[in-house]
C-alpha cells in the first residue's frame, strides 16, 4: 500500500526515540500490545513539578504506521498536562497521519499507550483511584 | 556501487519475461494472430503449429509425452482442474477423502476446502519444523477411501523440496491419485515424469521467465488419468479445458521452458553461490533465523526472520529492494504467514520474516548491496524496538505478560 | 498476400493495443498482489483497464471480474450463479455458443433441469416459448446478444424485462457484440455479461464477466483470492492492459468501425445475391460485420478451402466446431435444410478490411463456384 507523506516522514525521521530510567519517580511507562500481534509500543513520559509533561520518548516494534503513531504522540505530549494528555484520541492521530482503515488499530494502540503511561505514573505517585479507571480503558 | 534500483529480489512472486521469450511471442500478437482452432485457413494452421511446438517444449523439460500436457490460464487453474477434476471423477470408485499439507499454496488449500464444503473429508498434515513432510506421518494419513493427495514439489515461501518420489510411491501403494503443484519448481529442480510416480502436475509460466496468464497441467496417460472438466465449451484440449488457446502466451511458455532446460544447470550453480553469499552476510547479524531446511531447498530462496524487528517496517526500511514478508501487515488479514506458523515458528518470528528470492538477472553487486543495507536498517530498527531493548537487558520475552487488546 | 475475413474467430491486434502491452511484456513488472513499488505499478495498470472495460460495457468498475477469456466468463456465470442456489431450471437459447451450452448441460448432473428455448426462422428467440418456459421456476436464463455464426441480434432488453417479471436472473454472452454494437449492462437490466478481448483487437487470454455484485456467486477458481475472491490466480497484467486499451479504442471508434463494416457487408451481399446465395438472418438486425451464407449444391468446407488457397481466410461455421462434419446447429435450429446448411460459409469483417478486398473476393468466389460446379458435373 502507499504510505502517506506524514507516515513516511515520521518513519524516516522518528522523533524522541529512546528510554528514560523507568524507576524514576517522575517517569511514567506504558507498554502495550504484544509481539504475537505484531505491535508493541513502549511510551514514556517525564513529568515536571507542575504536572506538565516535559519530555516523552518511545520505542516501537511494529509497522510503519505504528512507528509513526507513537512518534507523533511523543511530539503532541510535550507541554501538555496529564489531563490534557488523556484527551488525545486515536481518531486525531489517524486523521493527522491519514491512516487507511486497515491501519487504524495502530492509532488505537498509541492512545492506549498514552493512557498506560499516565496510569503508571499516577500509580507511582499514589493516585490509585485514577489508575483503576485507566486500567478499565486500557483493557478494552 | 552501481546497482539499478529498486533491486528485484522477489522472483518467487513473479519473474520478468526473458527478452528471448518476448521476442518469440510478439509475432504471434501481430502477424500470426489466428485462432489455433480455425481449421479452414492458414492463419489458424500457423497458430496451431506454434501451439503444438510449444507443447513439445514444455513436455521436454519434464520428460513427458506432449499429449499429456493440457494448457490452462495458469497454475491456479491447473490446481483447481486437477484437484476438483480428479476428486469428482474418482469419488464414486475410490472414496471421498483427500490428503494435503498445511504449507500448500492457497490455490491448493482453497479448492480442497471447497470440496470439503461439498461433502469430501480432508486431512491437512503439518510438516516437520524444517518444512519437509514426514513419510511415516503421510503414510499413516492415507486411508482406503483416500482418492487424492496433493503435495507441492517446491514451497513458494521457504523453497523446500519435498521427496515427491517417495510420497508418490506411498500413494501408488494405496491406490490414491497423486497431484503435485510444481509452479515454483520448473527451471529450479530436475523433473522426470517418466520416473516420478505422479498422476497430475501443475505448471506456471510466469515463475520461469515466461508471461503471466498461462500454465499447464500434466495429465498422465500411462496409466490413463481421467478428470471432470471444469471449463466447458468448444471442447479444446481434448475436452479437458475449453476456451480459445492464447497462441502468443503459449509460445512464450514453450520458449521459457525450453530456455530453462538448456540453461538450468549452469544458472542454478551461479544462483546458489549468490544465495549462499547472501546468507553468509545476513547470518553475521545477531538473532537471525533461517526458516526451512537449508539443504533440501532450491538455490534461489532464502527466508529469514530478524528477531525483534517487525516485517512491514523492515520492508519499508529496505525500499531499495523488492522482497516479501511473512508479516501480518502485508497480508490482508492480521495473521502472520500460515506457512511459517505450520513450521512451528512463533508469531513474532513469523512477523519478522523476509523472503529473498533471487533469479536469472541478480548480480553479485546487488547481493553485496543488500547485505550492507540489511545490516544498517536492522540496526536502526532495533534501536527503535522495545523488544530488542528488553532482550539486551536480559529479559526473557516469553515470561512477560503483555497488555493485549 | 492473405486477406483476413474471419474476425469473429479472432482479430489481429491493433498496434496501439500492442504498444500499451509491450512495457508489461518486455520489462520487469511485479505481481499485482505484491506490496512493493513494482507490484503497485502492476496493480494500478489493472485498475485502469478495469475502468476502460466498465466504460464500454455500461457498468461500474466494481462490477468487472477479469478472467482468462470469454469461455471462462461464461463458465463462471453459469456454474457460479447456479451453484449458490438450490437446483431448479436453467434456460438457454438453442443457439448458444458451446461455452454456455456445455456448462449448462453439465449442471444437469448436479440436479438442474435444462430447457433450450427455440428460435424462429430468422434466428431470433421465440418470445412466447420463452414466456412459457419461465412460468416454471427458472433460476437462470442465458441468451447471447449476437450469434457468432449468423450475427443475428436478440432484443436483450425485452428478454430481461420478461425474465425479471418471473424472478429469473439473466446472463448474456456479449463476446461477439462488444466493439461492433453498443452494449449496456446497466441499461439493459442484466445480471451478468461475458466479454472477450481477442475479438476486438485485444490479446488472446483475457476476458471479463460483468456481474451484479449483490448476487451470491460461487467462484470457479479458488486460491489466493484475487478479484475479490471471485477469480483466484495471478492476474495476466499484460493481457488485461491490452484488453482495457482495446475497449477504449473500440468505444471511441464504434460508430466509424460499424459504419465501415456495414458498407463492406452491403457490397458483399449484393454480390452474393447476384451469385444466387442464401444469406441467413438477413431479414432481421445483425452485427454489421457478419455474413453467413450458402450456395445450393456447393459443399461449404470445400468452398472455404478453395477460398483459402486463393488467399481469403473465411470460416465454415464457428472455429470451435470447424472439426466436425455436422451442419451448424444454429442453422438447424432456424429450420434450414441440412443440405443447404452444409454449404454454409461465414465472412466476418474487421476494422482493417477494405472495399477492394471485397471486390476481389467476389471475383474469386465467382471463379471458384464455377470451377466447383464444373467438377461436380464431371463427377456425375
Amino acid at each position: 500500500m502507499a504510505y502517506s507523506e506524514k507516515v513516511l516522514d515520521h518513519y524516516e525521521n522518528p522523533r524522541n526515540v529512546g528510554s528514560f530510567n523507568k524507576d524514576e519517580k517522575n517517569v511514567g511507562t506504558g507498554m502495550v500490545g504484544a509481539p504475537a500481534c505484531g505491535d508493541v509500543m513502549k511510551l514514556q513520559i517525564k513529568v515536571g513539578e507542575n504536572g506538565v509533561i516535559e519530555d516523552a520518548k518511545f520505542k516501537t516494534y511494529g509497522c510503519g504506521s505504528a512507528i509513526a503513531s507513537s512518534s507523533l504522540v511523543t511530539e503532541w505530549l510535550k507541554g501538555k498536562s496529564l489531563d490534557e494528555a488523556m484527551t488525545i484520541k486515536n481518531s486525531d492521530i489517524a486523521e493527522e497521519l491519514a491512516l487507511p482503515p486497515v491501519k487504524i488499530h495502530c492509532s488505537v494502540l498509541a492512545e492506549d499507550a498514552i493512557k498506560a503511561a499516565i496510569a503508571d505514573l499516577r500509580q507511582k505517585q499514589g493516585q490509585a483511584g485514577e489508575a483503576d479507571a485507566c486500567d478499565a480503558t486500557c483493557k478494552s | 556501487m552501481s546497482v539499478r534500483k529498486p533491486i528485484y529480489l522477489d522472483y518467487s512472486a513473479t519473474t520478468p519475461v526473458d527478452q528471448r521469450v518476448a521476442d518469440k511471442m510478439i509475432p504471434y500478437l501481430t502477424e500470426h494472430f489466428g485462432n489455433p482452432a480455425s481449421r479452414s485457413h492458414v492463419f489458424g494452421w500457423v497458430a496451431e503449429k506454434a501451439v503444438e511446438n510449444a507443447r513439445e517444449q514444455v513436455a521436454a523439460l519434464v520428460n513427458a509425452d506432449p499429449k499429456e500436457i493440457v494448457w490452462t490460464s495458469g497454475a491456479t487453474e491447473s490446481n483447481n482442474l486437477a484437484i476438483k477434476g480428479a476428486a469428482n471423477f474418482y469419488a464414486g470408485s475410490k472414496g471421498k477423502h483427500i490428503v494435503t499439507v498445511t504449507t500448500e499454496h492457497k490455490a491448493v488449500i482453497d479448492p480442497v476446502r471447497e470440496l470439503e464444503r461439498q461433502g469430501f473429508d480432508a486431512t491437512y498434515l503439518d510438516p516437520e519444523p524444517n518444512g519437509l513432510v514426514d513419510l511415516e506421518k503421510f503414510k499413516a494419513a492415507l486411508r482406503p477411501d483416500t482418492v487424492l493427495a496433493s503435495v507441492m514439489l517446491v514451497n513458494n515461501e521457504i523453497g523446500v523440496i519435498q521427496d515427491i518420489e517417495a510420497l508418490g510411491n506411498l500413494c501408488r501403494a494405496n491406490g490414491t491419485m497423486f497431484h503435485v503443484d510444481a509452479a515454483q519448481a520448473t527451471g529450479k529442480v530436475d523433473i522426470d515424469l517418466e520416473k516420478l510416480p505422479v498422476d497430475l502436475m501443475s505448471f506456471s509460466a510466469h515463475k520461469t521467465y515466461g508471461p503471466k496468464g498461462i500454465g499447464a497441467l500434466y495429465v498422465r496417460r500411462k496409466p490413463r488419468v481421467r478428470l471432470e472438466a471444469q471449463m466447458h465449451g468448444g471442447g479444446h484440449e481434448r475436452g479437458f479445458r475449453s476456451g480459445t488457446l492464447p497462441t502468443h502466451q503459449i509460445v512464450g511458455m514453450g520458449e521459457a521452458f525450453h530456455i530453462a532446460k538448456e540453461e538450468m544447470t549452469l544458472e542454478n550453480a551461479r544462483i546458489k553461490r549468490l544465495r549462499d553469499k547472501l546468507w553468509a552476510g545476513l547470518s553475521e547479524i545477531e538473532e537471525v533465523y533461517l526458516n526451512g531446511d537449508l539443504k533440501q531447498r532450491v538455490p534461489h530462496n532464502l527466508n529469514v526472520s530478524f528477531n525483534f524487528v517487525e516485517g512491514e517496517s523492515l520492508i519499508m526500511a529496505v525500499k531499495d529492494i523488492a522482497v516479501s514478508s511473512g508479516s501480518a501487515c502485508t497480508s490482508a488479514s492480521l495473521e502472520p504467514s500460515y506457512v511459517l506458523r505450520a513450521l512451528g515458528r512463533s508469531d513474532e518470528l513469523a512477523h519478522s520474516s523476509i523472503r529473498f528470492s533471487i533469479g536469472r538477472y541478480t548480480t553479485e553487486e546487488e547481493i553485496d548491496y543488500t547485505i550492507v543495507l540489511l545490516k544498517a536498517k536492522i540496526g536502526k530498527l532495533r534501536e527503535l524496538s522495545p523488544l530488542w531493548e528488553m532482550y539486551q537487558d536480559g529479559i526473557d520475552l516469553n515470561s512477560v505478560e503483555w497488555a493485549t487488546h | 498476400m492473405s486477406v483476413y475475413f474471419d474476425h469473429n474467430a479472432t482479430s489481429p491486434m491493433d498496434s496501439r493495443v500492442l504498444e500499451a502491452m509491450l512495457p508489461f511484456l518486455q520489462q520487469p513488472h511485479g505481481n499485482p498482489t505484491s506490496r512493493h513499488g513494482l507490484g503497485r505499478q502492476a496493480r494500478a495498470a489493472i485498475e485502469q483497464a478495469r475502468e476502460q472495460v466498465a466504460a464500454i460495457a455500461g457498468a461500474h468498475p466494481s462490477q468487472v471480474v477479469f478472467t482468462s477469456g470469454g469461455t471462462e466468463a461464461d463458465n463462471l456465470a453459469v456454474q457460479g450463479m447456479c451453484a449458490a442456489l438450490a437446483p431448479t431450471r436453467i434456460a438457454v437459447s438453442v443457439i448458444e455458443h458451446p461455452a454456455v451450452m456445455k456448462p449448462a448441460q453439465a449442471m444437469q448432473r448436479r440436479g438442474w433441469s435444462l430447457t433450450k428455448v427455440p428460435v424462429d426462422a430468422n434466428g431470433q428467440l421465440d418470445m412466447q416459448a420463452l414466456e412459457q418456459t419461465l412460468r416454471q421456476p427458472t433460476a437462470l436464463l442465458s441468451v447471447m446478444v449476437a450469434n457468432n455464426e449468423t450475427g443475428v441480434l436478440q432484443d436483450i432488453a425485452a428478454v430481461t424485462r420478461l425474465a425479471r417479471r418471473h424472478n429469473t436472473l439473466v446472463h448474456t454472452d456479449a463476446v461477439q457484440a462488444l466493439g461492433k454494437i453498443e452494449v449496456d449492462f446497466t441499461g439493459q437490466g442484466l445480471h451478468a455479461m461475458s466479454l472477450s478481448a481477442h475479438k476486438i483487437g485485444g490479446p488472446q487470454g483475457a476476458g471479463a464477466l460483468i456481474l451484479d455484485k449483490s448476487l451470491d456467486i460461487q467462484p470457479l477458481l479458488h486460491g489466493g483470492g484475487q478479484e475479490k475472491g471471485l477469480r483466484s490466480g495471478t492476474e495476466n497484467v499484460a493481457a488485461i492492459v491490452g484488453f482495457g486499451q482495446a475497449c477504449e479504442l473500440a468505444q471511441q471508434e464504434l460508430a466509424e468501425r460499424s459504419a465501415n463494416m456495414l458498407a463492406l457487408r452491403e457490397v458483399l451481399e449484393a454480390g452474393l445475391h447476384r451469385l444466387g446465395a442464401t444469406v441467413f438472418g438477413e431479414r432481421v438486425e445483425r452485427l454489421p460485420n457478419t455474413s453467413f451464407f450458402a450456395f445450393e449444391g456447393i459443399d461449404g468446407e470445400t468452398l472455404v478451402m478453395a477460398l483459402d488457397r486463393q488467399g481469403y481466410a473465411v470460416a465454415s461455421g464457428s472455429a470451435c466446431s470447424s472439426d466436425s462434419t455436422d451442419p451448424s446447429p444454429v442453422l438447424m435450429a432456424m429450420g434450414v435444410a441440412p443440405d443447404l446448411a452444409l454449404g454454409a460459409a461465414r465472412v466476418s469483417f474487421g476494422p482493417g478490411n477494405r472495399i477492394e478486398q471485397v471486390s476481389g473476393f467476389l471475383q474469386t468466389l465467382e471463379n471458384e463456384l464455377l470451377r466447383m460446379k464444373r467438377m461436380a458435373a464431371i463427377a456425375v
Side-chain angles (χ1 to χ4, degrees):
Chain A
M1 72 200 85
Y3 306 113
S4 77
E5 288 294 314
K6 294 230 173 97
V7 169
L8 283 172
D9 179 36
H10 276 278
Y11 177 76
E12 302 281 327
N13 313 294
R15 328 327 190 200
N16 310 309
V17 179
S19 302
F20 300 127
N21 180 346
K22 66 171 163 36
D23 295 324
E24 281 180 27
K25 279 226 109 180
N26 62 342
V27 167
T29 302
M31 178 93 90
V32 293
C37 301
D39 281 308
V40 177
M41 284 181 194
K42 186 182 89 165
L43 184 66
Q44 292 181 306
I45 49 176
K46 194 179 256 188
V47 176
E49 293 291 310
N50 50 0
V52 167
I53 299 173
E54 287 178 346
D55 202 0
K57 283 212 185 294
F58 87 99
K59 282 207 175 203
T60 291
Y61 164 89
C63 64
S65 302
I67 292 172
S69 298
S70 35
S71 164
L72 177 71
V73 146
T74 58
E75 280 190 317
W76 280 0
L77 284 173
K78 292 193 202 179
K80 286 195 163 56
S81 73
L82 293 181
D83 285 331
E84 284 170 338
M86 287 289 285
T87 65
I88 293 176
K89 298 240 160 319
N90 76 286
S91 44
D92 302 325
I93 302 167
E95 201 183 306
E96 176 67 20
L97 295 173
L99 294 181
V102 64
K103 293 295 181 187
I104 298 288
H105 69 276
C106 297
S107 64
V108 172
L109 203 62
E111 185 191 319
D112 287 349
I114 298 172
K115 295 188 158 66
I118 293 173
D120 178 60
L121 184 74
R122 284 187 167 150
Q123 194 169 48
K124 272 186 187 171
Q125 296 179 344
Q127 292 172 35
E130 300 270 13
D132 288 334
C134 198
D135 282 339
T137 327
C138 294
K139 287 201 182 100
S140 62
Chain B
M1 225 180 286
S2 58
V3 284
R4 197 172 39 126
K5 302 206 214 118
I7 295 174
Y8 191 72
L9 297 177
D10 205 13
Y11 282 77
S12 289
T14 191
T15 57
V17 172
D18 189 302
Q19 187 61 52
R20 296 167 284 179
V21 170
D23 287 343
K24 261 286 166 89
M25 286 171 71
I26 289 170
Y28 290 91
L29 281 167
T30 49
E31 283 172 69
H32 311 300
F33 58 85
N35 185 325
S38 292
R39 300 284 187 188
S40 48
H41 49 67
V42 65
F43 293 88
W45 301 332
V46 166
E48 197 209 352
K49 187 152 172 265
V51 164
E52 292 315 310
N53 188 51
R55 203 188 298 273
E56 280 173 18
Q57 290 174 312
V58 168
L61 179 64
V62 298
N63 201 18
D65 184 323
K67 290 202 205 72
E68 294 174 312
I69 303 294
V70 174
W71 300 114
T72 66
S73 65
T76 294
E77 191 193 331
S78 300
N79 288 340
N80 274 261
L81 174 55
I83 293 168
K84 293 173 188 167
N88 280 316
F89 190 89
Y90 291 102
S93 54
K94 290 198 170 155
K96 295 185 92 170
H97 177 242
I98 299 171
V99 170
T100 188
V101 188
T102 48
T103 48
E104 293 297 303
H105 191 276
K106 280 214 178 124
V108 164
I109 303 241
D110 263 40
V112 172
R113 288 238 172 86
E114 176 58 27
L115 288 172
E116 279 187 287
R117 278 191 290 271
Q118 288 175 20
F120 281 76
D121 200 12
T123 300
Y124 300 87
L125 290 170
D126 271 320
E128 300 306 292
N130 63 358
L132 297 171
V133 173
D134 178 79
L135 293 174
E136 288 305 314
K137 289 184 185 163
F138 186 79
K139 185 169 177 196
L142 293 173
R143 310 189 322 212
D145 65 333
T146 306
V147 59
L148 174 76
S150 180
V151 181
M152 67 205 311
L153 177 45
V154 172
N155 184 277
N156 52 304
E157 284 202 39
I158 54 181
V160 297
I161 307 169
Q162 301 295 346
D163 187 352
I164 293 301
E165 192 167 352
L167 293 166
N169 283 326
L170 288 171
C171 287
R172 278 276 160 82
N174 198 59
T176 296
M177 306 287 292
F178 190 37
H179 164 253
V180 173
D181 176 357
Q184 292 284 346
T186 46
K188 300 189 176 92
V189 297
D190 274 309
I191 301 172
D192 185 349
L193 284 165
E194 213 175 295
K195 284 223 286 301
L196 291 173
V198 168
D199 299 296
L200 297 154
M201 187 177 270
S202 304
F203 304 116
S204 163
H206 78 94
K207 308 278 163 93
T208 310
Y209 310 97
K212 294 180 185 58
I214 185 74
L217 179 66
Y218 162 81
V219 183
R220 184 172 285 276
R221 281 166 70 89
K222 292 193 182 97
R224 186 179 294 256
V225 171
R226 310 279 296 278
L227 296 175
E228 198 187 79
Q230 302 298 301
M231 208 88 79
H232 308 276
H236 305 73
E237 296 298 278
R238 281 169 281 122
F240 279 121
R241 199 275 185 187
S242 291
T244 299
L245 293 177
T247 313
H248 67 286
Q249 278 164 245
I250 288 172
V251 165
M253 183 168 180
E255 188 64 20
F257 275 39
H258 171 71
I259 293 172
K261 185 171 199 292
E262 303 281 297
E263 304 185 357
M264 207 169 99
T265 316
L266 278 178
E267 186 172 275
N268 288 347
R270 184 187 79 91
I271 285 174
K272 182 170 192 301
R273 200 175 48 78
L274 291 178
R275 190 275 308 271
D276 289 348
K277 186 174 193 193
L278 179 61
W279 175 231
L282 294 180
S283 49
E284 284 171 5
I285 303 172
E286 228 187 303
E287 279 293 301
V288 147
Y289 297 82
L290 178 69
N291 297 310
D293 193 278
L294 182 58
K295 287 206 236 69
Q296 271 293 100
R297 191 191 202 107
V298 287
H300 311 54
N301 177 297
L302 192 66
N303 191 311
V304 175
S305 290
F306 299 91
N307 213 353
F308 313 119
V309 171
E310 191 274 334
E312 202 210 272
S313 65
L314 179 56
I315 293 217
M316 251 172 96
V318 296
K319 58 188 190 303
D320 281 349
I321 62 176
V323 287
S324 84
S325 160
S327 148
C329 295
T330 53
S331 69
S333 77
L334 288 175
E335 315 219 322
S337 153
Y338 65 89
V339 170
L340 297 184
R341 295 292 286 120
L343 297 185
R345 280 280 185 241
S346 65
D347 280 332
E348 304 87 88
L349 284 177
H351 272 294
S352 323
S353 72
I354 299 279
R355 176 188 73 183
F356 303 89
S357 43
I358 66 183
R360 187 169 288 172
Y361 308 105
T362 308
T363 65
E364 186 148 4
E365 283 159 326
E366 290 176 338
I367 297 294
D368 292 335
Y369 183 92
T370 301
I371 295 170
V372 168
L373 182 71
L374 261 298
K375 284 180 172 166
K377 297 298 183 176
I378 297 290
K380 183 174 171 242
L381 286 169
R382 278 180 174 167
E383 262 171 61
L384 275 176
S385 167
L387 302 183
W388 177 250
E389 188 182 48
M390 289 164 79
Y391 166 75
Q392 289 192 302
D393 287 342
I395 301 172
D396 174 14
L397 289 167
N398 289 319
S399 65
V400 176
E401 265 189 48
W402 299 100
T404 43
H405 284 278
Chain C
M1 186 70 242
S2 256
V3 172
Y4 192 74
F5 280 162
D6 197 16
H7 292 76
N8 283 6
T10 194
S11 59
M13 184 168 299
D14 189 304
S15 60
R16 294 166 290 178
V17 170
L18 181 63
E19 220 182 286
M21 284 175 72
L22 278 177
F24 296 93
L25 285 171
Q26 293 183 315
Q27 280 147 49
H29 64 282
N31 183 319
T33 307
S34 295
R35 295 313 181 97
H36 44 65
L38 279 176
R40 292 202 299 273
Q41 252 174 11
R43 167 62 50 199
I46 289 180
E47 295 313 312
Q48 183 183 39
R50 198 184 304 276
E51 287 179 14
Q52 291 168 314
V53 173
I56 195 177
H60 189 269
S62 67
Q63 295 175 314
V64 176
V65 178
F66 285 119
T67 64
S68 65
T71 295
E72 191 190 329
D74 284 336
N75 274 260
L76 176 58
V78 173
Q79 295 185 51
M81 287 165 91
C82 292
L85 304 165
T88 52
R89 177 175 305 276
I90 300 174
V92 300
S93 89
V94 68
I95 57 167
E96 289 305 301
H97 189 278
V100 165
M101 191 63 85
K102 288 280 157 75
Q105 284 168 332
M107 296 304 285
Q108 290 180 284
R109 267 179 266 135
R110 297 201 228 172
W112 289 79
S113 312
L114 177 65
T115 302
K116 300 185 201 176
V117 183
V119 296
D120 60 25
N122 291 316
Q124 289 189 316
L125 209 60
D126 181 338
M127 293 301 274
Q128 272 180 324
L130 177 61
E131 160 100 58
Q132 276 222 297
T133 302
L134 294 180
R135 288 217 194 103
Q136 291 152 64
T138 305
L140 177 68
L141 168 66
S142 183
V143 177
M144 64 201 320
V145 178
N147 183 268
N148 49 304
E149 297 193 354
T150 59
V152 168
L153 303 178
Q154 305 298 333
D155 185 350
I156 294 296
V159 167
T160 57
R161 270 196 307 271
L162 181 55
R164 277 174 181 262
R165 278 208 294 275
H166 293 269
N167 288 320
T168 297
L169 300 173
V170 185
H171 161 257
T172 190
D173 178 331
V175 163
Q176 291 292 345
L178 186 69
K180 298 174 188 133
I181 57 170
E182 293 250 9
V183 293
D184 187 356
F185 178 75
T186 314
Q188 298 200 299
L190 290 158
H191 297 96
M193 182 166 84
S194 304
L195 304 173
S196 164
H198 76 95
K199 313 278 188 183
I200 54 164
Q204 287 153 2
L209 182 66
I210 313 294
L211 204 50
D212 176 347
K213 286 298 187 75
S214 68
L215 297 172
D216 206 2
I217 306 288
Q218 200 183 80
L220 210 54
L221 292 181
H222 295 80
Q226 287 87 346
E227 294 299 286
K228 301 247 174 9
L230 285 174
R231 202 280 182 184
S232 291
T234 302
E235 299 92 333
N236 186 345
V237 182
I240 289 172
V241 166
F243 185 20
Q245 186 64 25
C247 283
E248 187 171 291
L249 294 169
Q251 189 176 24
Q252 283 164 2
E253 301 174 4
L254 182 62
E256 194 189 323
R257 289 185 192 182
S258 61
N260 285 341
M261 298 191 291
L262 192 60
L264 295 176
R265 204 235 334 250
E266 275 166 13
V267 171
L268 173 72
E269 289 188 347
L272 289 175
H273 280 300
R274 253 187 305 110
L275 294 169
T278 305
V279 175
F280 303 112
E282 62 178 337
R283 275 194 284 268
V284 293
E285 268 206 84
R286 295 175 290 164
L287 291 175
N289 76 321
T290 306
S291 183
F292 200 34
F293 55 88
F295 293 92
E296 197 79 55
I298 297 284
D299 176 52
E301 279 291 337
T302 314
L303 179 61
V304 164
M305 291 290 167
L307 290 167
D308 177 68
R309 271 204 309 276
Q310 299 298 326
Y312 292 95
V314 298
S316 61
S318 126
C320 298
S321 53
S322 59
D323 223 1
S324 84
T325 44
D326 294 330
S328 149
V330 174
L331 293 180
M332 294 293 93
M334 287 162 68
V336 174
D339 278 345
L340 187 62
L342 278 169
R346 178 189 70 186
V347 164
S348 45
F349 296 117
N353 292 136
R354 295 184 311 280
I355 207 94
E356 313 88 76
Q357 295 172 324
V358 180
S359 330
F361 174 78
L362 284 169
Q363 188 60 64
T364 303
L365 180 60
E366 194 171 353
N367 295 341
E368 291 306 310
L369 284 171
L370 215 56
R371 190 182 337 183
M372 285 169 75
K373 283 188 186 133
R374 263 198 222 115
M375 292 204 294
I378 294 171
V380 163

